[in-house]
Amino acid sequence: MSALSTQDPELFAMVKAEEAYQKSTIRLIASENYVSKAVLEASGSVFANKYSEGYPGARYYQGQINCDAVERLAIERAKKLFGAEHVNVQPYSGSPANLAVYFAFCQPGDTILGLNLSHGGHLTHGSKVSLTGKWLNAVHYSLNPETGLLDYDEIRKLALEHRPKVLIAGHSAYPRQLDFAKFRAIADECGAILFVDMAHFAGLVAGGAHPNPVPYADVVTTTTHKTLRGPRGAMILCKEKHAKAIDKAVFPGLQGGPHNSTTAAIATALREALLPEFKTYAANTVKNAQVLAAALVKRGFNLVSGGTDNHLMLIDLNNKNVSGKVAAVALEKAGLVLNYNTVPGETRKASDPSGIRLGTPSVTSRGFGAAEMEKIAEWMDRTLQSVEDEAALLKINAEVSALCAKFPVPGLD
Ligand SMILES: *Cc1c(COP(=O)(O)O)cnc(C)c1O
């Protein structure tokens, strides 16, 4: 970064500080990851200089020979990776991708049915504070309070009662796999479009560690920056019969020109996801989550649904006498970065809820294994017993940095 360092030393110092931070802390945010050097290079390439409204071969600007090639490459790789009939790689991020799906299939006031936000759903699945909850009639299903699992009988009952235009499967904080055949059957029975939002677990699908929703769903959206380990962006995968409606909803419906440098970085991230090593990455991500979950349960942590079979865990801290916010702040001081989160049956406010969410995509990208998962559980336990003891938190932070120093950071080292 020789130009940045000489021309804007103030910003350069911030980039360096963030690099050091990402090296010396343990990143347990379930939605974050480390991209490769190749993805970083493509993200910062000259494709950032281009405007390309339209689609390959049908642009509203001249000079698209290379942009068309890049977008076609990203589309072909995504089709191959997920077995999709049609792919749109232009959505700016996961939320706009979801808006495009509603724009393609719904009129204002139409009914959608998705997972409750406080049970692991996403804002864009019809939360009251989201445009999706204001402009559409959103109905929500919940987790079973006893098991912490999806209740497919309840989903079916709500679907038949409310007859949603769109049935949504997918989540930001559900630690279990989804049964897409069951969702498909419910959608067929009530005449809904089945929309799967695999933003969180797309990398596990790509690596064969989670069932693939693409054969079942009318339309699937995903971010590219979570378990998929690409740049910040999104894709929509759909059946050929919906291709026109989806493409029109993205452009000109919602967006102007695509971010071509992001498209380039998505293309190269998809190349990585097609390699045999990515299967190992996906399997290790789940294995690490399960080792960490077991180590936390052993220490008395209350995991929603009792454990995990994907990359994430949701912990209800009510039995630990500490709120999610207080826990997350103390853990950050100890060098363990995660987020506070609402839990099913939440009784506190969203800005200081009862739980924390954590995941293993980043630490697995870094090469952490079972031994490191045991250490993380031990550090989390010690931290929550000393949330007000600054000296104890600093001591844990030193131990965390010492471990991190032994593991190179993808894209940086
Ligand atoms: C992260 C996420 C999104 C939104 O992604 P952004 O890129 O932050 O807009 C959408 N849906 C689900 C389920 C997610 O987890």
Side-chain angles (χ1 to χ4, degrees):
M1 290 191 176
S2 54
L4 193 63
S5 66
T6 51
Q7 287 165 31
D8 193 347
E10 189 181 4
L11 181 71
F12 180 70
M14 293 174 188
V15 174
K16 284 296 168 195
E18 182 58 23
E19 281 184 19
Y21 189 71
Q22 291 190 18
K23 278 187 197 190
S24 64
T25 53
I26 294 180
R27 299 167 66 229
L28 295 165
I29 304 225
S31 50
E32 289 187 358
N33 215 326
Y34 293 97
V35 298
S36 68
K37 187 100 194 214
V39 169
L40 280 178
E41 286 177 358
S43 298
S45 68
V46 291
F47 284 105
N49 296 337
K50 293 298 294 177
Y51 237 105
S52 314
E53 282 183 358
Y55 289 100
R59 305 283 192 187
Y60 291 79
Y61 292 74
Q62 297 311 117
Q64 300 301 323
I65 179 166
N66 300 308
C67 291
D68 279 4
V70 166
E71 190 167 333
R72 286 195 174 109
L73 183 65
I75 290 167
E76 283 317 308
R77 287 176 176 171
K79 281 185 176 175
K80 188 167 167 202
L81 185 61
F82 294 106
E85 291 176 14
H86 179 79
V87 177
N88 186 308
V89 295
Q90 296 194 2
Y92 298 142
S93 209
S95 304
N98 290 355
L99 293 184
V101 170
Y102 302 129
F103 196 40
F105 297 111
C106 298
Q107 294 296 318
D110 278 355
T111 299
I112 59 171
L113 175 62
L115 178 61
N116 202 320
L117 180 63
S118 71
H119 289 229
H122 190 260
L123 286 164
T124 56
H125 297 180
S127 157
K128 283 200 301 294
V129 298
S130 153
L131 176 145
T132 59
K134 291 185 194 294
W135 290 11
L136 296 164
N137 172 41
V139 182
H140 291 107
Y141 51 88
S142 304
L143 301 182
N144 178 302
E146 257 93 70
T147 60
L149 298 174
L150 284 176
D151 180 344
Y152 291 93
D153 292 333
E154 194 216 358
I155 299 170
R156 177 172 175 269
K157 200 174 128 257
L158 288 169
L160 292 174
E161 183 185 336
H162 296 280
R163 299 274 161 186
K165 197 73 164 277
V166 173
L167 171 63
I168 310 160
H171 58 80
S172 299
Y174 181 62
R176 297 292 172 181
Q177 293 185 354
L178 303 179
D179 188 335
F180 299 118
K182 282 191 182 151
F183 273 109
R184 179 75 259 172
I186 295 168
D188 285 343
E189 200 178 349
C190 71
I193 291 283
L194 178 59
F195 161 32
V196 177
D197 180 351
M198 65 170 180
H200 255 267
F201 54 88
L204 304 185
V205 172
H210 189 290
N212 185 359
V214 170
Y216 297 94
D218 291 281
V219 57
V220 176
T221 60
T222 182
T223 53
T224 47
H225 48 272
K226 296 178 183 174
T227 48
L228 196 53
R229 228 159 71 179
R232 297 201 70 95
M235 304 191 289
I236 305 178
L237 305 85
C238 67
K239 297 277 186 273
E240 191 57 47
K241 65 177 172 192
H242 301 309
K244 268 215 182 82
I246 288 294
D247 285 352
K248 269 173 61 189
V250 174
F251 173 85
L254 275 170
Q255 300 188 169
H259 295 177
N260 291 298
S261 46
T262 297
T263 310
I266 289 174
T268 204
L270 290 170
R271 189 197 70 85
E272 293 171 8
L274 281 159
L275 296 174
E277 297 91 287
F278 204 81
K279 288 201 164 44
T280 312
Y281 168 67
N284 286 345
T285 299
V286 175
K287 206 188 310 167
N288 277 340
Q290 290 179 331
V291 171
L292 181 52
L296 289 166
V297 167
K298 206 169 69 191
R299 289 172 173 79
F301 283 91
N302 178 14
L303 271 61
V304 172
S305 87
T308 180
D309 48 32
N310 59 22
H311 61 294
L312 70 83
M313 284 144 269
L314 187 58
I315 304 179
D316 184 332
L317 291 170
N318 276 305
N319 68 335
K320 293 280 184 188
N321 293 320
V322 55
S323 77
K325 175 84 173 279
V326 169
V329 169
L331 285 161
E332 183 185 350
K333 287 180 185 162
L336 300 152
V337 186
L338 46 65
N339 65 284
Y340 53 87
N341 215 95
T342 52
V343 297
E346 185 58 68
T347 51
R348 304 172 58 92
K349 53 190 195 310
S351 55
D352 186 12
S354 307
I356 49 176
R357 183 190 68 163
L358 65 160
T360 51
S362 296
V363 292
T364 307
S365 291
R366 221 172 155 172
F368 282 24
E372 289 73 38
M373 297 305 115
E374 295 286 346
K375 286 302 293 180
I376 290 171
E378 183 202 314
W379 284 322
M380 286 179 63
D381 197 23
R382 276 168 57 196
T383 300
L384 294 201
Q385 287 174 33
S386 17
V387 288
E388 271 155 31
D389 182 346
E390 296 285 328
L393 299 180
L394 278 180
K395 180 158 184 304
I396 297 168
N397 189 302
E399 293 172 29
V400 165
S401 318
L403 180 83
C404 286
K406 294 190 201 145
F407 288 85
V409 178
L412 295 178
D413 294 320

